[in-house]
Amino acid sequence: SSTRCKWSEEYQADALSEQISAVLSTPEASGIFIWQYADCRVDESWFASRPKSQNNKGIVDIYRREKLSYAVVKELFHTL
């Protein structure tokens, strides 16, 4: 994911794939959850440096449309 543009969906999908795969391959791990399901607007003073003043870490966008990371997460969870 280091070659991907920060804040892009591709970057997020790569990062989640790496992170979730690492946890799922650890026998000592008892579970995992997605921290943020949907993107959301936040106070501009808090995330002034974020695109559109959004916390864009969701696997669906602000309108609940699936992002690239949604398919990645779905595939990883279906291979359990």
Side-chain angles (χ1 to χ4, degrees):
S1 63
S2 62
T3 60
R4 302 288 190 164
C5 177
K6 188 174 184 181
W7 309 122
S8 70
E9 285 193 43
E10 292 83 4
Y11 181 92
Q12 178 190 24
D14 289 347
L16 277 174
S17 178
E18 291 172 23
Q19 294 162 2
I20 292 171
S21 295
V23 173
L24 294 179
S25 67
T26 304
E28 295 83 11
S30 62
I32 190 171
F33 65 92
I34 301 300
W35 178 254
Q36 186 167 334
Y37 173 69
D39 293 351
C40 60
R41 295 219 15 113
V42 293
D43 185 273
E44 291 180 15
S45 66
W46 190 39
F47 277 141
S49 62
R50 290 286 182 101
K52 301 179 189 173
S53 299
Q54 287 189 12
N55 189 340
N56 61 347
K57 295 185 186 95
I59 61 173
V60 297
D61 70 12
I62 199 165
Y63 301 106
R64 307 313 191 250
R65 295 177 295 208
E66 297 173 4
K67 293 167 51 179
L68 295 176
S69 56
Y70 185 94
V72 169
V73 170
K74 182 178 178 179
E75 179 64 27
L76 288 169
F77 281 20
H78 277 242
T79 58
L80 294 176

